Amino acid sequence: MGRRCWRRRVVVAACLGAALLLLWLAPRALRPESENRALGSGWLGGKKRSPLQMLYDLDKGPRSALAEVHRQRRDLLRRACGRHTRRKRLLRPEDLRHVLVDDAHGLLYCYVPKVACTNWKRVLLALSGRARGDPRAIPAHEVHVPGRLPSLADFSPAEINRRLRAYLAFLFVREPFERLASAYNNKFVRPYSAAFQRRYGTRIVRRLRPRPHPDALARGHDVRFAEFLAYLLDPRTRRDEPFNEHWERAHALCHPCLLRYDIVGKFETLAEDAAFVLDLVGLPGLRFPAPPHPAKSAVTRDQAARLFRDISPFYQRRLFDLYRMDFLLFNYSIPSYLRLH
């Protein structure tokens, strides 16, 4: 990570009677162990180095190949933010809603739906003691219950600031259009998403489909991929309410140009990156639930290519522009199946 990368860290200040939070980069709370013990003592009793300190130790010595990969990802993200963002802005408390807190181990995890967030929430529940036993045994519906895991937005500005300075912050991202295709299939094609289809599918059908069938208007169960994309590109969608988290851009959920992330994991290298994070936590008995088999990942890529095949180049370009920052910040190439020129 290097001394220069550790030099600055996010600080939070109360603004406008605490209605807004202003975050900016400030000195990082990484010092020699004797100086940093006070910050770590809240969760480690000063007896064990925190995950953030463990990462710092890795960067001071000879790096493993994986540690070097994560250093390069941090540097690339920092440079991309410098090139592609012009000015900082005020962050509202709700902007921190996706950053989950594990005080027991000094972790901040920003979850991005459709990027293994269910399994990461399982792991955090096990780490925090809110669930017992193997994380894989925790039912999926339980991990998404609001309030099961504390959010950074739940704390006071001073408490937010302390955690941002002392905790290891990480997120996991995914190739944007594969994530989008996964969200469409999960929420609009699978039969168990009836409630979601009634909320969003009926809205899409009503707005975009000429002479819709009454059953489609009532259930929203047969939304086509082209209709879903048209809904995303319709200015009224974001004007009426924020994007749903399942298709909101990762940078808009986690604000990586305003909050410094120590680890940027990727869905494409989920097993290795998850093991790297858990090694920093220092609990050898804890295993991340097995990621999708490579064959399933290949199916997802083919599925995305197949869905976009029938989308015109004009709308492909508009959609790429909408998700451009995720491609740029997280170093994803333009998919070969797109026809942007």
Side-chain angles (χ1 to χ4, degrees), residues 116 119 122-123 134-136 267 270-271 274 287-293 296:
N119 281 336
R122 285 176 168 134
V123 168
D134 189 336
R136 293 171 295 184
F267 188 80
L270 178 59
R287 293 284 185 271
F288 190 82
H293 190 276
K296 185 175 181 181

Side-chain angles (χ1 to χ4, degrees), residues 4-256:
R4 184 174 62 181
C5 283
W6 289 105
R7 193 175 298 157
R8 299 178 68 82
R9 186 71 169 172
V10 176
V11 171
V12 181
C15 181
L16 299 179
L20 296 173
L21 297 176
L22 175 61
L23 286 82
W24 66 90
L25 298 178
R28 168 81 117 140
L30 271 175
R31 310 179 179 89
E33 184 176 9
S34 59
E35 296 179 35
N36 207 39
R37 187 173 292 125
L39 284 170
S41 62
W43 73 86
L44 296 171
K47 298 176 182 178
K48 182 180 177 182
R49 295 182 72 72
S50 73
L52 187 59
Q53 291 167 327
M54 294 291 289
L55 184 61
Y56 182 52
D57 290 346
L58 284 179
D59 279 355
K60 287 194 301 184
R63 297 188 187 97
S64 68
L66 190 54
E68 177 62 19
V69 165
H70 285 286
R71 183 198 66 78
Q72 291 176 6
R73 287 180 186 172
R74 284 192 299 271
D75 288 350
L76 186 146
L77 176 58
R78 177 173 50 83
R79 292 195 302 270
C81 285
R83 285 195 301 268
H84 302 294
T85 59
R86 296 180 180 176
R87 62 180 180 178
K88 299 294 187 292
R89 71 166 180 84
L90 289 172
L91 281 179
R92 300 173 296 275
E94 55 265 29
D95 292 325
L96 304 175
R97 185 62 58 192
H98 272 244
V99 181
L100 304 179
V101 179
D102 175 14
D103 283 324
H105 300 89
L107 298 175
L108 298 175
Y109 162 58
C110 184
Y111 71 93
V112 179
K114 309 311 300 175
V115 192
C117 74
T118 298
N119 281 336
W120 269 116
K121 288 180 180 181
R122 285 176 168 134
V123 168
L124 289 181
L125 285 171
L127 282 172
S128 64
R130 291 176 171 84
R132 303 291 181 187
D134 189 336
R136 293 171 295 184
I138 303 172
H141 68 272
E142 289 188 12
V143 307
H144 297 299
V145 173
R148 284 298 308 269
L149 289 162
S151 163
L152 193 57
D154 297 334
F155 297 92
S156 70
E159 290 172 324
I160 292 171
N161 181 41
R162 181 174 67 84
R163 287 165 174 82
L164 286 172
R165 296 179 65 215
Y167 287 14
L168 180 87
F170 69 100
L171 79 163
F172 274 70
V173 295
R174 184 177 186 178
E175 198 279 338
F177 284 177
E178 288 183 20
R179 175 175 170 249
L180 193 62
S182 177
Y184 167 75
N185 280 303
N186 183 256
K187 298 303 180 184
F188 293 106
V189 177
R190 303 279 175 84
Y192 55 72
S193 297
F196 203 94
Q197 292 162 6
R198 283 194 298 272
R199 178 174 179 182
Y200 290 99
T202 56
R203 187 181 306 172
I204 293 171
V205 169
R206 186 179 306 111
R207 182 186 297 180
L208 298 170
R209 187 179 300 177
R211 299 180 297 279
H213 191 278
D215 190 40
L217 279 174
R219 298 169 58 198
H221 63 295
D222 60 350
V223 170
R224 306 178 188 102
F225 188 61
E227 292 173 327
F228 172 55
L229 299 188
Y231 170 75
L232 297 182
L233 294 169
D234 188 334
R236 292 172 293 181
T237 300
R238 280 187 290 168
R239 188 176 63 222
D240 293 344
E241 63 178 355
F243 270 171
N244 180 273
E245 62 180 11
H246 291 85
W247 48 79
E248 179 61 280
R249 289 74 49 88
H251 77 273
L253 295 174
C254 296
H255 309 286

